[in-house]
Amino acid sequence: MTSPPSDGLIPTALDQRIEAAVGYGVEELRRHRDGGLLDAPHAALADAHSELMAAERDVTFYRLRLARLASSELPVDQALFARIRRTLDQLATAAAVRDANQSVAAAALSPIEAAAPRQTPPQIATKDVAALLAIAQGAKLHEHLVTHRLAVATPTRTRISYAQLQHLEEMDLVERDTAHPMHAGQPVTLTDAGRAVLTAPRRAGPPGTTPAPLPPALPAVSRTRR
């Protein structure tokens, strides 16, 4: 089915409901889906919404074609009547597909709406957010065969110390696949809680503000003033 090329998002009847349920707009939902940051229910919703947008785009295409046929640009003859009838049939088919896809998307949205309001994910330190973003793209914990030093390797070469990895594990934001030997690399992945941290709406604040990590860190030792 021919559709008008478009790089933007096509509005749908579910956009406002989705934003209210997940806490951000459909464009950000699509970005999170492309980045592999969504859990299964949210990923299913993102996929269903993409199908709904494609169907809505087809409806818009045939509506525009019908409007052009009904304008004064073309001569009124039997050929025009045939094109109008054909376009009406195509529009009806596109609308039926759109309605079916909307039902699928609404079904995917329902359990997410039922779970709302969701518990607000913890606000964590900026360096931990950077570590989670790097881990989301793939990460492995390696042990050097000679020095036995542990290090986390990521595609973005983001520096993640073993201590920071343990900190993220304690917060239940990441998990390791211990079935793999350490020297070969243990895959490190985000948990649902870790994905929720990255996909949660960011709190507005002054530039450079770093949210306080949760759970609270141990009190820092104060320096003695000279």
Side-chain angles (χ1 to χ4, degrees), residues 4-38:
S6 174
D7 295 330
L9 296 179
I10 302 297
T12 75
L14 296 180
D15 290 356
Q16 291 184 352
R17 283 179 57 187
I18 292 175
E19 182 171 357
V22 304
Y24 45 81
V26 294
E27 185 172 3
E28 190 169 355
L29 179 69
R30 183 172 68 172
R31 289 199 302 268
H32 291 328
R33 180 67 174 104
D34 293 340
L37 300 178
L38 300 178

Side-chain angles (χ1 to χ4, degrees), residues 87 89 132 136 223:
T87 303
D89 290 340
L132 292 177
R223 295 181 180 178

Side-chain angles (χ1 to χ4, degrees), residues 60-117:
T60 300
F61 173 73
Y62 289 117
R63 288 185 65 179
L64 293 175
R65 174 180 285 184
L66 186 61
R68 180 178 179 274
L69 292 174
S71 68
S72 58
E73 299 178 9
L74 302 175
V76 179
D77 53 20
Q78 294 302 315
L80 177 62
F81 295 151
R83 292 180 64 184
I84 289 176
R85 285 193 293 268
R86 184 167 60 252
T87 303
L88 281 172
D89 290 340
Q90 292 169 329
L91 177 59
T93 299
V97 172
R98 186 271 318 275
D99 293 345
N101 287 353
Q102 184 168 307
S103 297
V104 172
L109 176 60
S110 293
I112 298 176
E113 287 181 321

Side-chain angles (χ1 to χ4, degrees), residues 165 168-169 172-177 187-192:
L165 175 63
L168 295 175
E169 287 180 319
D172 194 31
L173 300 179
V174 301
E175 58 187 359
R176 277 183 282 162
D177 185 355
V188 181
T189 57
L190 300 180
T191 62
D192 287 345

